[in-house]
Amino acid sequence: MGFLMAVLLILVATCAQVSMVMCYLQLCVEDHRWWWKSFANTASAGFYLFLYSLWFLSSKLELVGVLPVVVYLTYMSMISIAFGLMCGTVGYLSCFWFTRKIYGAVKVD
């Protein structure tokens, strides 16, 4: 198992735990609309990645001309969207599993 696979597993575990905690807090205040919020809580990492790429472009990269900047922003937007979709999907699926488990354990007499 490589280093990148270990990092990916840590990312998936972190997204799942954050999503479950946020979903639990949301269910505690009796807000039952957790579907999109569970996706958005973890998909916001893609937005953060894009903001970081903008900072990196303005402070560290020294690209000359418009075309390299456009290519960089295009690739980083695609990577950020893919990253956000991956993290959001992990968050949604883990929150779905979590709510099924906690409501499945409730005994109705």
Side-chain angles (χ1 to χ4, degrees), residues 4-70:
L4 289 178
M5 184 60 77
V7 170
L8 179 68
L9 291 176
I10 291 171
L11 174 69
V12 167
T14 303
C15 285
Q17 289 175 353
V18 165
S19 178
M20 283 188 252
V21 167
M22 295 299 287
C23 184
Y24 178 74
L25 292 174
Q26 189 172 350
L27 291 173
C28 281
V29 296
E30 298 178 0
D31 187 5
H32 64 279
R33 296 171 303 201
W34 57 268
W35 299 281
W36 284 108
K37 290 181 184 176
S38 67
F39 182 84
N41 284 335
T42 51
S44 61
F47 181 67
Y48 174 77
L49 178 66
F50 188 72
L51 288 180
Y52 179 77
S53 70
L54 290 177
W55 174 82
F56 191 78
L57 174 66
S58 66
S59 66
K60 301 290 183 189
L61 290 180
E62 295 182 12
L63 299 176
V64 178
V66 175
L67 186 62
V69 173
V70 170

Side-chain angles (χ1 to χ4, degrees), residues 92-105:
Y92 172 76
L93 291 176
S94 63
C95 193
F96 182 73
W97 175 82
F98 176 71
T99 54
R100 299 270 300 176
K101 281 302 222 184
I102 63 171
Y103 285 121

